[in-house]
Amino acid sequence: MRARVLQMYARIMRLSGKWQAVDSANTAQERAFIRQEARTLFKANKNVVADAEIEALLGEAEERIALAAHYRIPYPRLPNVGYGAAPQQQHQLQKRQEKLRQASIPSYVRSAFKPR
C-alpha cells in the first residue's frame, strides 16, 4: 500500500511539472497550486492506516487527476447546494437537507472540503 501511495505522489509531482494552463500566463501559478495541494493533502492524511480509507483517498486522487486533465482546471469545485433552504422549525427537513449536502460533495474533493 505504501508503494501505491508513493507512486501516486510521484505521479502528481510529475503532472505538476508537465502542467500547461489554458492561459499560459497562469501555468506557473497552477503548477505551484498542484504541488502545494498535493503536499498539504498527503501530509494531512499521513497517519491514515486503514486500507479502505487509503483506497478511498487514492481513488479521490485518481478522480481529481482525471478531471484536471479533462477540463484543464486543477482547482476543486463543490456543487452548488444552498444552505438555509429549510425553515428553522422544521428540524427533520434540516437533517435531511444536511445529509443531502454532505452526500452531494463529490469524492474527488472530500479531502479539500470537509463537510460541516
Side-chain angles (χ1 to χ4, degrees):
M1 190 61 65
R2 179 179 166 86
R4 287 189 56 214
V5 172
L6 293 175
Q7 286 172 349
M8 180 61 69
Y9 187 78
R11 181 177 169 197
I12 293 169
M13 289 300 143
R14 280 192 305 273
L15 173 71
S16 72
K18 297 176 185 176
W19 184 263
Q20 291 296 319
V22 174
D23 180 7
S24 59
N26 295 333
T27 297
Q29 178 185 2
E30 289 183 7
R31 285 179 177 181
F33 172 79
I34 293 169
R35 281 188 216 103
Q36 186 58 43
E37 182 79 357
R39 287 182 188 125
T40 301
L41 292 175
F42 273 80
K43 281 183 182 180
N45 295 310
K46 72 180 180 180
N47 295 323
V48 175
V49 293
D51 286 346
E53 196 171 345
I54 292 171
E55 286 292 330
L57 291 168
L58 288 173
E60 176 185 337
E62 287 285 344
E63 289 179 30
R64 285 185 69 173
I65 289 170
L67 287 170
H70 180 75
Y71 293 109
R72 306 299 305 154
I73 301 172
Y75 308 107
R77 295 168 304 188
L78 282 176
N80 185 15
V81 178
Y83 283 93
Q88 291 295 327
Q89 65 272 21
Q90 294 181 358
H91 185 65
Q92 291 292 348
L93 183 57
Q94 281 183 322
K95 286 171 68 175
R96 246 183 285 140
Q97 286 188 337
E98 183 60 30
K99 280 185 180 180
L100 175 65
R101 278 193 291 274
Q102 289 180 8
S104 71
I105 297 174
S107 64
Y108 57 88
V109 292
R110 290 199 192 277
S111 293
F113 299 99
K114 299 288 183 190
R116 293 179 182 185

